[in-house]
Amino acid sequence: MIDDIRRIQADAVSRLGAAATLEDLGVLERELLGKTSELTGFKKLMGGLDNEAKREVGGALNAAREAMTAAATARRADLEILASRHRAEAERLDLSEVRAGRDAGHLHLVTQTIEELEDVFVGMGFNVAEGPEVEDDWHNFTALNFGEYHPARDMQDTFFVGLGGPREVVMRTHTSPVQIRVMEHQAPPIYSVMPGRVYRNEATDATHLAVFHQIECLVVDRGITFGHLAGTIDRFTKAYFGPGWTSRLRPSYFPFTEPSAEFDIQRPDGTWLELGGCGMVHPNVLSNCGIDPEEFSGFAFGFGLDRLAATRHGVTDLRELASTDIRFLEQF
Ligand code: DAH
C-alpha cells in the first residue's frame, strides 16, 4: 500500500509540474486530490488496518498530499507569470517611431545639422534648451541689455506680432532670448546650448534668409573667464569640423556681452569662415535674470546654422534650404 501511495505521489507530482495551462492544472488537481481521487480512495481503505499500519499509511497519505499540493502551488505561480507575460505581449503597443528609410524620406539638412551640433555639445557636457519663437520685448531685447533706442529694435529688422502693446511681441530675431529664459529658470552652474528658428525682416537673396536658424551656447558658473570662451570655441571647432580646423576671435560689439568678439574658423586649406558672435555675459544681463554678477560670470556665443550647412554641402543659394523640391532635398 505504501509503495502504491509513493508511486501515485511521484506520478502526480510530475503531472502537476507539467500542466500546460492554469485550466489544465485545475482539472488535474480535482483528479489527483479531489473526493474521487485514488488518494482519497486509500483513506477509505484505512478502516480495515491495525493501528500500526494505519499510522504508516496515514503518514504516507499526508506526505503525498503535501507534496502534490506544493507541486500544484509552484506550477500555478509559474503559469500565472507566463499568463501575465502573454497578456502583456498581446496588449503591447508599438510606440517606437517609424524608422524612415531612404525611400520613406529623411531629416532635412538643417535638422541634421542641428542634431549633429547637439551631439557634439552634449558630448562636451552641455544640455539642450529651447524657447518660444514668438517672444516678448523683455526676452528678445530689454533683458539682453539692448537700450531703448538700439538700432536692432528698428522696424527694418524685427517682425512685430499684433499682440499686446505696440512693439511688445516679436518673432524672435535671434536665439539669445533663450539664454534669458534659461537663466530665469535655473540657478548656475549653467552649461546649455539652444538651437532654433529665428526671424528677420530682411529681403531674401542667395546669402540671406528672413527665416533661418541659430544655435546659442551659454555658460554661467563661478570663475568663468575669456579663456574658457576661447577654449570652448576651439574645442568645439575641432570636434565638429575636424582636427585640422582652428578658430580666432576678433573684437566686436554686442549689447549683451562685454567684452564681445566675433569668431571665425579656419579651414585646413587656410581660408577663413566667419561664424558668429560671442563674449562674456554682460553683468547687467546676469542681474536682469537674478544672478549676482559678483559671484558668477559667464560666456555666450551664437551662430547661424543655415550658412554652415550650406557651406558644408556645397549649396550656393540659401533659399534652396526652404525648397520643397524633392530632387533637391533627396541629395542630403
Ligand atoms: N545674437 C547674436 C546675433 O544674432 C549672436 C550672438 C552674439 C550670440 C554674441 C551670442 C553672443 O550668444 O554672445 O547676431
Side-chain angles (χ1 to χ4, degrees):
M1 216 182 216
I2 303 271
D3 285 345
D4 284 342
I5 294 170
R6 297 229 169 97
R7 184 186 39 76
I8 290 167
Q9 172 186 334
D11 176 59
V13 165
S14 91
R15 286 178 69 196
L16 287 164
T21 64
L22 285 166
E23 291 75 50
D24 290 359
L25 183 63
V27 171
L28 267 179
E29 276 179 306
R30 273 192 297 284
E31 178 193 328
L32 299 171
L33 290 157
K35 282 204 185 78
T36 57
S37 66
E38 264 185 297
L39 213 58
T40 310
F42 275 104
K43 227 175 184 172
K44 288 173 188 154
L45 294 176
M46 275 168 65
L49 298 175
D50 59 37
N51 280 349
E52 175 72 7
K54 247 186 208 159
R55 232 194 338 272
E56 260 181 65
V57 172
L61 282 175
N62 280 341
R65 183 166 286 277
E66 263 168 39
M68 288 156 67
T69 311
T73 306
R75 186 62 187 154
R76 173 160 288 107
D78 286 349
L79 287 172
E80 271 164 4
I81 290 170
L82 278 177
S84 88
R85 265 196 217 136
H86 277 125
R87 248 192 329 273
E89 189 57 34
E91 289 168 6
R92 196 165 79 98
L93 293 177
D94 184 0
L95 298 177
S96 56
E97 277 180 52
V98 175
R99 209 186 121 82
R102 198 78 188 164
D103 294 336
H106 60 87
L107 296 176
H108 188 273
L109 180 53
V110 172
T111 311
Q112 290 177 31
T113 305
I114 291 177
E115 294 198 346
E116 284 167 22
L117 288 165
E118 283 178 2
D119 285 349
V120 169
F121 282 111
V122 166
M124 290 167 70
F126 288 80
N127 58 30
V128 180
E130 284 184 339
E133 291 175 21
V134 180
E135 264 297 4
D136 50 30
D137 177 274
W138 168 257
H139 291 93
N140 197 79
F141 294 127
T142 305
L144 286 164
N145 203 34
F146 279 78
E148 203 184 333
Y149 299 105
H150 194 282
R153 291 178 178 235
D154 194 286
M155 288 286 281
Q156 297 297 311
D157 301 316
T158 309
F159 285 118
F160 293 94
V161 179
L163 290 170
R167 300 188 170 204
E168 205 175 287
V169 180
V170 304
M171 299 308 291
R172 67 178 176 196
T173 56
H174 50 179
T175 44
S176 302
V178 191
Q179 289 187 33
I180 303 298
R181 292 192 175 270
V182 168
M183 287 188 278
E184 280 174 343
H185 287 101
Q186 190 198 319
I190 293 168
Y191 292 82
S192 293
V193 291
M194 302 144 252
R197 191 178 288 131
V198 300
Y199 302 79
R200 297 271 172 97
N201 190 0
E202 275 191 289
T204 295
D205 62 29
T207 55
H208 295 88
L209 295 174
V211 180
F212 55 104
H213 301 79
Q214 292 184 334
I215 189 164
E216 197 82 12
C217 173
L218 174 70
V219 168
V220 183
D221 206 341
R222 288 189 176 83
I224 296 296
T225 69
F226 201 87
H228 294 125
L229 166 61
T232 303
I233 286 182
D234 205 59
R235 188 65 80 79
F236 153 73
T237 302
K238 288 173 170 51
Y240 182 67
F241 295 95
W245 293 61
T246 54
S247 59
R248 73 174 173 199
L249 305 182
R250 282 178 291 115
S252 185
Y253 171 79
F254 298 99
F256 40 94
T257 44
E258 181 58 37
S260 303
E262 245 151 285
F263 68 96
D264 309 326
I265 54 173
Q266 190 177 33
R267 304 182 181 92
D269 69 4
T271 58
W272 292 92
L273 175 69
E274 280 183 28
L275 207 57
C278 63
M280 300 307 290
V281 180
H282 197 291
N284 290 352
V285 174
L286 293 174
S287 303
N288 286 339
C289 301
I291 295 173
D292 181 0
E294 297 295 329
E295 188 180 355
F296 293 101
S297 56
F299 69 75
F301 60 88
F303 55 91
L305 299 179
D306 307 78
R307 220 168 276 172
L308 187 73
T311 313
R312 261 193 132 189
H313 293 274
V315 176
T316 49
D317 188 332
L318 287 183
R319 288 168 294 191
E320 301 256 49
L321 295 177
S323 149
T324 54
D325 187 333
I326 196 71
R327 290 165 302 177
F328 170 77
L329 294 169
E330 262 173 1
Q331 300 174 84
F332 307 105

